């Protein structure tokens, strides 16, 4: 008798804990969601009215109602492009090398460890490094190419790590099937490893990009301008060879820096501008994330083993 | 025993194989006659897969193993285990079908054409011809000829395994290795594969590992019994099953262990 009641009591306590933790978890989840929604709601209520064609197509100005984010979004776009050009080949190639070619020895382990560490280095440190290396040593100036390479380095670990994780999910028996009919390593990578891990790799790249697009500190560190009333040179020109790389060496600003500039002004109207620019930035990021999810689902359906 | 009257396609000579310190093959000697089916039987862990994978240098992808001895491939008489021999070349002549069907997540056509693609064949007409031939030989053509562009993973397990056989055959190999090709299949699919293997020996030499003795009895000309890394007995399938020389073989065949 004694034993049985104890047993029941314990069961009741267990159940109470179960329920308690379930609602505790739910509570925290709701808190986080409310905070997020409040932030976005605040941005929308403050900035939505300011969104207009004029806002997207004007340079910043002394007058809040005449300013816009033209130079900022063009700059963000150009810097993202440069980041992608720099980080994608480097990151994917490093990931493939580490996963497929690197011998399993102490040096490789050391490199792997440092890549993981690199992912945790504060972004401003990358800015400082870039200021010393790209701006001064390599004399690339406070330009789009410097910014792209800085952010590229910043997100490189993310791309390397996701590339490796994506490759790791490919089963051994698929590799062996490829080798068993006489394929070389390179052919196996080209026909199998890369296509099958493409979903994961692209998702990683997009996540890396959406991180880079919001970065401010390292770009301010390398000396991005906060007020800029002109666009970088056009990549297309009228004489042969019809393309120009001049734009890479032009000064720039980006959306978060533009926002930072506006919120630091005393006038209320500039704060509205900042909120509107913030909305655009959030739309950018959410779009990137949505594209990542779509790509992931597309590949999930097509690849089965 | 395979007699001197038959052409010997390959010959294993004093093969010892080690995983680290563990000796997985102990002094194996084996002759593979041309265009016959040779099966390897034996309890789990006796080294059948290890021996099979020596033939197409599959061990090369992994570290911490070593071997002594040779596998001679005729007519050239080269030792394919020699480090100087390119494993790619070996695998182009000796292909393999695995235990679990492992089609690529590509179309049926691309699965079979793959071995040709890696040899640089790009002409669609050539590919199509060879793919059709391989699928016909694998008894799959009629089932898939209208849907060559569909994904291979939509096929049933048995069809997938026949697709893998077609993939291994499309490259015109001299030897095909099968590692328990029916262990993941139902009896009907198994019967089809067995039938297919018996047909195939008109074209290639076949080395098949099976833990199913009846299967070995049904499809093979010669059978080898392996136990703890040794090839205990090797000879005509009929003799091995009716009148084995070794006590160990007899015990295994009569189901006393394994
Ligand atoms: N990669 C490996 N590393 C270490 N030992 C292995 C490895 N593969 C197989 N072995 C060992 O080698 C022996 C033979 O294995 P295997 O050839 O797979 O046997 P079978 O195919 O006859 O079941 C077993 O004892 C097994 O544990
Ligand atoms: Mg095995």
């Amino acid at each position: 008798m004694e034993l049985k009641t104890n047993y029941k009591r314990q069961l009741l306590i267990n159940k109470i804990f179960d329920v308690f933790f379930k609602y505790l978890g739910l509570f925290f989840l709701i808190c986080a969601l409310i905070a997020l929604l409040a932030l976005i709601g605040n941005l929308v209520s403050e900035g939505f009215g300011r969104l207009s064609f004029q806002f997207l197509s004007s340079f910043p100005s002394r007058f809040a109602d005449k300013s816009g984010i033209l130079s900022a979004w063009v700059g963000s776009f150009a810097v993202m492009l440069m980041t992608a050009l720099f980080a994608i080949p480097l990151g994917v190639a490093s990931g493939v090398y580490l996963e497929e070619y690197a011998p399993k020895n102490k040096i490789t382990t050391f490199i792997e460890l440092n890549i993981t560490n690199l992912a945790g280095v504060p972004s401003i440190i990358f800015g400082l490094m870039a200021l010393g290396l790209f701006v001064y040593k390599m004399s690339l100036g406070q330009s789009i190419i410097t910014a792209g390479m800085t952010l590229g380095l910043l997100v490189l670990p993310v791309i390397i790590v996701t590339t490796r994780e994506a490759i790791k999910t490919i089963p051994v028996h698929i590799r062996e099937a490829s080798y068993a009919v006489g394929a070389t390593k390179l052919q196996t990578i080209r026909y199998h490893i890369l296509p099958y891990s493409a979903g994961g790799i692209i998702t990683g790249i997009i996540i890396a990009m959406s991180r880079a697009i919001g970065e401010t500190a390292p770009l301010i560190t390398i000396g991005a301008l906060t007020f800029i009333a002109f666009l970088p040179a056009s990549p297309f020109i009228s004489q042969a060879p019809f393309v120009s790389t001049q734009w890479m060496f032009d000064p720039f600003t980006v959306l978060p820096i533009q926002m930072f500039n506006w919120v630091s002004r005393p006038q209320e109207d500039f704060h509205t501008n900042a909120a509107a620019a913030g909305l655009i930035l959030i739309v950018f990021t959410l779009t990137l994330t949505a594209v990542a999810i779509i790509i992931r689902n597309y590949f999930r359906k097509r690849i089965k083993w | 025993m395979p007699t001197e009257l038959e052409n010997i396609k390959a010959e294993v000579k004093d093969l010892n194989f080690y995983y680290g310190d563990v000796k997985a093959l102990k002094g194996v000697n084996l002759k593979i006659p041309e265009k016959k089916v040779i099966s390897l039987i034996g309890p789990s862990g006796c080294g059948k897969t290890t021996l099979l994978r020596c033939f197409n240098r599959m061990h090369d992808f992994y570290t911490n193993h070593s071997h002594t001895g040779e596998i001679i491939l005729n007519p050239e008489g080269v030792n394919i285990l020699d480090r100087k021999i390119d494993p790619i070349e070996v695998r182009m002549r000796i292909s393999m079908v695995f235990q679990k069907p492992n089609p690529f997540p590509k179309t049926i056509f691309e699965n079979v054409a793959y071995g040709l693609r890696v040899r640089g064949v790009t002409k669609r007409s050539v590919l199509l011809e060879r793919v059709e031939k391989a699928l016909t030989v694998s008894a799959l053509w009629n089932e898939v000829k209208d849907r060559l562009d569909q994904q291979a993973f939509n096929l049933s397990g048995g069809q997938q395994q026949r697709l893998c056989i077609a993939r291994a055959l499309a490259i015109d190999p001299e030897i095909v290795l099968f590692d328990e090709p029916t262990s993941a299949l139902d009896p009907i699919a198994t019967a089809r594969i067995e039938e297919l293997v018996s047909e195939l020996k008109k074209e290639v030499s076949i080395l098949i590992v099976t833990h199913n003795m009846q299967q070995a009895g049904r499809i093979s000309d010669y059978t080898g019994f392996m136990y703890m890394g040794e090839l205990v007995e090797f000879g005509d399938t009929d003799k091995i099953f009716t009148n084995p020389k070794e006590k160990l073989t007899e015990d295994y065949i009569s189901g006393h262990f394994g």
Side-chain angles (χ1 to χ4, degrees), chain B residues 41-145:
Chain B
I41 58 170
S44 196
C46 69
K48 307 181 294 292
T49 299
T50 304
L51 175 58
L52 200 70
R53 288 166 68 94
C54 286
F55 276 86
N56 64 347
R57 298 272 297 264
M58 271 296 161
H59 294 297
D60 283 32
F61 300 112
Y62 306 94
T63 51
N64 196 28
H65 57 76
S66 58
H67 71 268
T68 63
E70 301 181 329
I71 295 180
I72 303 295
L73 185 64
N74 290 326
E76 300 88 337
V78 288
N79 171 20
I80 55 176
L81 293 184
D82 192 333
R83 290 266 158 240
K84 279 179 282 198
I85 301 288
D86 184 1
I88 305 287
E89 218 171 300
V90 175
R91 292 181 207 123
M92 288 194 165
R93 298 174 61 181
I94 303 179
S95 63
M96 181 163 185
V97 176
F98 296 81
Q99 191 162 353
K100 226 182 101 217
N102 55 355
F104 302 128
K106 292 185 185 290
T107 63
I108 293 171
F109 181 86
E110 283 307 324
N111 262 280
V112 183
Y114 180 64
L116 304 166
R117 286 213 188 278
V118 300
R119 282 162 177 70
V121 182
T122 49
K123 240 180 122 183
R124 181 88 186 169
S125 59
V126 179
L127 288 173
L128 206 58
E129 184 197 317
R130 301 283 291 273
V131 167
E132 175 173 350
K133 184 169 171 251
L135 283 170
T136 308
V137 177
S138 317
L140 194 60
W141 176 248
N142 285 329
E143 288 157 68
V144 301
K145 64 175 179 235

Side-chain angles (χ1 to χ4, degrees), chain A residues 170-276:
Chain A
I170 299 171
V172 184
H173 60 81
I174 292 287
R175 279 165 209 274
E176 290 195 340
S178 169
Y179 290 126
V181 290
T184 61
K185 193 160 219 169
L186 191 61
Q187 285 170 331
T188 304
I189 291 174
R190 142 119 171 59
Y191 287 105
H192 304 287
I193 306 299
L194 283 180
Y196 306 158
S197 57
I201 294 177
I202 295 170
T203 313
I205 288 171
I206 292 176
I207 288 168
M209 286 300 144
S210 59
R211 174 172 175 200
I213 201 170
E215 276 299 339
T216 320
L219 298 186
I220 292 181
T221 315
I222 62 167
L225 300 181
T226 52
F227 185 97
I228 190 165
F230 55 87
L231 292 180
S234 166
F236 307 105
I237 50 174
S238 54
Q239 300 105 354
F242 303 110
V243 287
S244 155
T245 53
Q246 177 54 44
W247 62 274
M248 294 183 192
F249 302 95
D250 285 341
F252 68 97
T253 193
V254 290
L255 275 169
I257 294 181
Q258 183 66 71
M259 284 176 67
F260 176 69
N261 175 259
W262 278 334
V263 287
S264 53
R265 305 269 187 104
Q267 299 95 318
E268 196 60 41
D269 284 355
F270 279 112
H271 296 178
T272 308
N273 281 356

Side-chain angles (χ1 to χ4, degrees), chain A residues 4-250:
Chain A
K4 199 158 187 188
T5 41
N6 274 348
Y7 172 73
K8 272 201 170 153
R9 225 186 112 215
Q10 189 58 47
L11 205 66
L12 188 68
I13 292 170
N14 288 353
K15 270 192 184 156
I16 289 171
F17 267 104
D18 245 15
V19 173
F20 175 71
F21 276 103
K22 179 173 144 196
Y23 286 106
L24 191 71
L26 195 64
F27 173 73
F28 283 130
L29 182 69
I30 289 171
C31 285
L33 276 178
I34 287 175
L36 187 68
L37 283 177
L39 272 171
I40 294 180
N42 188 30
L43 266 187
V44 171
S45 74
E46 221 179 301
F48 190 76
R50 185 67 186 84
L51 290 179
S52 65
F53 181 72
Q54 177 274 329
F55 187 64
L56 293 176
S57 60
S58 305
F59 289 112
S61 143
R62 280 186 297 133
F63 308 102
D65 56 339
K66 284 193 186 143
S67 344
I69 55 168
L70 180 63
S71 46
W73 74 255
V74 171
S76 271
F77 188 79
V79 169
M80 279 310 104
L81 191 69
M82 207 59 234
T83 307
L85 282 177
F86 180 72
I88 294 173
L90 215 60
V92 174
S94 310
V96 169
Y97 173 80
L98 284 173
E99 211 47 48
E100 296 292 316
Y101 289 98
K104 303 275 170 279
N105 58 25
K106 287 220 173 77
I107 298 172
T108 312
T109 316
F110 181 73
I111 292 175
E112 284 169 354
L113 195 73
N114 278 292
I115 289 170
T116 322
N117 281 340
L118 218 52
V121 171
S123 60
I124 193 148
I125 307 291
F126 280 91
L128 279 177
M129 190 274 308
L131 184 68
L133 185 67
F134 300 146
V135 179
Y136 296 133
K137 278 261 159 48
M138 291 164 68
S139 304
L140 291 173
Q142 296 156 340
S143 58
I144 290 171
I145 191 167
T146 301
M149 283 163 65
T150 311
L151 294 185
L153 283 182
L154 184 70
V155 299
L156 204 53
V158 179
I159 299 183
I160 295 175
V161 169
T162 45
T163 298
R164 296 189 64 187
E165 293 306 320
I167 291 177
K168 274 197 190 119
T169 63
I170 299 171
V172 184
H173 60 81
I174 292 287
R175 279 165 209 274
E176 290 195 340
S178 169
Y179 290 126
V181 290
T184 61
K185 193 160 219 169
L186 191 61
Q187 285 170 331
T188 304
I189 291 174
R190 142 119 171 59
Y191 287 105
H192 304 287
I193 306 299
L194 283 180
Y196 306 158
S197 57
I201 294 177
I202 295 170
T203 313
I205 288 171
I206 292 176
I207 288 168
M209 286 300 144
S210 59
R211 174 172 175 200
I213 201 170
E215 276 299 339
T216 320
L219 298 186
I220 292 181
T221 315
I222 62 167
L225 300 181
T226 52
F227 185 97
I228 190 165
F230 55 87
L231 292 180
S234 166
F236 307 105
I237 50 174
S238 54
Q239 300 105 354
F242 303 110
V243 287
S244 155
T245 53
Q246 177 54 44
W247 62 274
M248 294 183 192
F249 302 95
D250 285 341

